[in-house]
Amino acid sequence: MKTLEWRALFGQGAERIQASTIRELLKLTQRPGIISFAGGLPAPELFPKAEAAEKAAEILKEKGEVALQYGPTEGYLPLRAFVAEWLGVEVEEVLITTGSQQALDLLGKVFLDEGAPVLLEAPSYLGAIQAFRAYGPRFLTVPTGEEGPDLEALAEVLKEGPRFLYLIPSFQNPSGGLMPLWARERLLEMVMEKGLLVVEDDAYRELYFGESRVKSLFELAREAGYPGVIYLSSFSKILAPGLRVAFAVAHPEALLKLTQAKQGVDLHTPVLNQILVLELLKEGLLEHLSRVRRVYRDKAQAMLEALEKEMPKEVAFTRPKGGMFVWMELPQGLSAEALFHKALEEKVAFVPGGPFFALGGGENTLRLSYATMDQAAIAEGVRRLGKALRALLTPA
């Protein structure tokens, strides 16, 4: 019997599909006693477990034939209508996706070719880099910080004619940055002048710590009559990520092509999950969101206080106004990956920042997530991290 040469059987695209560096590192954080700031996971104490159990039983009893049957690719119509009303758009512009990650893959299928330029922030969401890389694009990047992308640098790179600009203006993953309204308005002017497509990933839209949410690029674009912003968001951060229910909003012509691409991927997002999300959203949403924001705000404050106390003065870190992340910059020449392994000895973990840079770099950066730990664990974890960092800065 002839032995199969698997690598010879793979298509060319398979070579671009690689394991997530971060997910490989996360395997090391499963050791007993590790305080992990690594995963970008929502706080499990916020999951509506009892409500979900009750609603799921009701749905299966009253709508079981619908919930357990195939559904339309566009999504469960009442949920699409809820999203449409929430965002002030037409139902025909809403596509329900199996997590925002699926939406990113669909965008790659529809808009990217081998060698096509695509513009990202540096750093940017690793899941987007992975999703787009599978289609063989040429990455362009623009530096980003606590107030979003560098607009002067953006003006230069736009001259290269990217297929689209992907960005996370609100509480960016990984940097935690929040793009102010004036910068959003200026960026929109720039892309409207170029006729550039923008993909706005707004997964953290409701996790703001202040009094109100900054208007999305999508909202500003609609007010200006510009149809070139595709809007992505998710119910993972405000309800439960395991349900894998998210949505994309786009001009009907773009949405039709995304829907056709989804037909070849999974036919539709699980109907039971969509109905469950809708029923959970209909009851006490404002009160629930208020609690979610309060919990994350208190955890962020606990981490910032601990960082102020424990970090050497050579270390810089962001002060998030929402979301789930703090971004840290070590002194030049100090490796975050070296710190990662040293930190594991102290039983604390984080994510090195390098993988978030599509074109490389960021070796001295790292991401901390405060979402899953309680305040005592946050303080202890930062203390351990500070100990590991001081050991690298002043080796014996």
Side-chain angles (χ1 to χ4, degrees):
M1 182 170 63
K2 187 174 181 179
T3 302
L4 289 176
E5 295 289 341
W6 287 106
R7 290 182 63 87
L9 296 174
F10 293 150
Q12 291 183 356
E15 292 297 318
R16 296 191 290 262
I17 302 172
Q18 302 172 356
S20 164
T21 304
I22 289 176
R23 293 210 171 261
E24 293 302 307
L25 289 174
L26 289 180
K27 294 177 182 178
L28 300 176
T29 71
Q30 304 305 310
R31 302 172 185 174
I34 294 282
I35 294 176
S36 180
F37 299 135
L41 310 177
E45 68 268 26
L46 294 173
F47 297 163
K49 297 183 286 290
E51 296 91 336
E54 180 181 341
K55 289 295 182 184
E58 289 180 9
I59 291 166
L60 289 172
K61 182 179 179 180
E62 299 173 8
K63 302 178 181 178
E65 290 187 2
V66 174
L68 299 179
Q69 184 58 276
Y70 287 115
T73 302
E74 293 84 350
Y76 181 59
L77 183 56
L79 179 59
R80 294 174 66 210
F82 180 94
V83 172
E85 183 176 357
W86 194 24
L87 299 182
V89 300
E90 300 299 321
V91 173
E92 294 75 18
E93 298 176 289
V94 178
L95 172 66
I96 304 298
T97 63
T98 307
S100 286
Q101 192 65 33
Q102 182 185 67
L104 295 172
D105 180 62
L106 298 178
L107 287 162
K109 287 184 189 304
V110 169
F111 291 104
L112 295 180
D113 305 310
E114 182 85 29
V118 60
L119 177 54
L120 309 178
E121 298 169 280
S124 188
Y125 172 49
L126 179 60
I129 296 172
Q130 282 185 292
F132 300 152
R133 181 169 280 143
Y135 299 97
R138 177 169 63 92
F139 285 117
L140 309 172
T141 63
V142 59
T144 195
E146 287 201 69
E147 292 197 340
D150 181 324
L151 296 182
E152 289 188 13
L154 179 65
E156 285 301 309
V157 76
L158 287 182
K159 295 175 183 178
E160 298 198 40
R163 288 287 176 87
F164 61 80
L165 163 63
Y166 168 81
L167 75 169
I168 308 172
S170 296
F171 321 122
Q172 200 240 25
N173 182 1
S175 73
L178 174 64
M179 198 175 183
L181 181 61
W182 69 264
R184 296 177 190 226
E185 292 172 338
R186 176 63 188 126
L187 183 144
L188 186 61
E189 289 174 3
M190 295 165 68
V191 299
M192 288 172 61
E193 183 179 334
K194 294 284 186 180
L196 176 67
L197 178 63
V198 176
V199 175
E200 179 179 18
D201 191 342
D202 208 11
Y204 307 94
R205 62 170 276 147
E206 295 296 339
L207 305 187
Y208 54 86
F209 300 158
E211 294 300 316
S212 61
R213 180 180 61 82
V214 180
K215 275 189 178 182
S216 66
L217 284 170
F218 177 80
E219 290 170 299
L220 294 171
R222 287 301 174 98
E223 289 174 2
Y226 185 63
V229 177
I230 294 178
Y231 184 80
L232 311 181
S233 194
S234 168
F235 299 112
S236 291
K237 306 303 185 293
I238 62 173
L239 288 179
L243 294 173
R244 310 307 300 133
V245 178
F247 54 89
V249 182
H251 183 276
E253 189 171 350
L255 201 81
L256 174 61
K257 192 55 65 174
L258 292 170
T259 303
Q260 291 170 346
K262 181 175 167 63
Q263 289 171 356
V265 175
D266 67 352
L267 298 182
H268 64 85
T269 299
V271 179
L272 173 59
N273 294 18
Q274 294 184 66
I275 300 176
L276 178 56
V277 163
L278 178 61
E279 293 302 317
L280 291 171
L281 290 170
K282 285 162 56 176
E283 293 195 11
L285 177 61
L286 293 179
E287 182 179 343
H288 176 70
L289 288 177
S290 178
R291 180 181 175 229
V292 168
R293 294 179 193 121
R294 182 175 66 253
V295 166
Y296 286 129
R297 182 175 60 243
D298 291 347
K299 291 186 178 195
Q301 186 61 36
M303 177 165 278
L304 292 175
E305 290 175 0
L307 289 170
E308 292 281 3
K309 178 182 177 182
E310 300 291 345
M311 288 300 109
K313 65 180 184 302
E314 301 95 328
V315 173
F317 53 87
T318 59
R319 289 160 175 79
K321 298 176 182 178
M324 297 164 52
F325 306 111
V326 170
W327 184 246
M328 185 179 292
E329 187 171 325
L330 306 176
Q332 284 295 332
L334 191 62
S335 164
E337 192 161 338
L339 177 59
F340 174 83
H341 292 287
K342 191 71 175 176
L344 284 182
E345 297 175 12
E346 300 295 336
K347 294 189 179 297
V348 63
F350 59 85
V351 173
F356 295 101
F357 291 79
L359 298 179
E363 291 85 359
N364 67 321
T365 62
L366 57 103
R367 188 192 75 180
L368 302 171
S369 174
Y370 44 78
T372 58
M373 298 290 111
D374 62 31
Q375 294 183 37
I378 289 170
E380 174 59 18
V382 173
R383 185 194 68 79
R384 296 179 189 182
L385 181 60
K387 182 180 178 182
L389 181 53
R390 285 190 294 273
L392 280 185
L393 287 170
T394 56

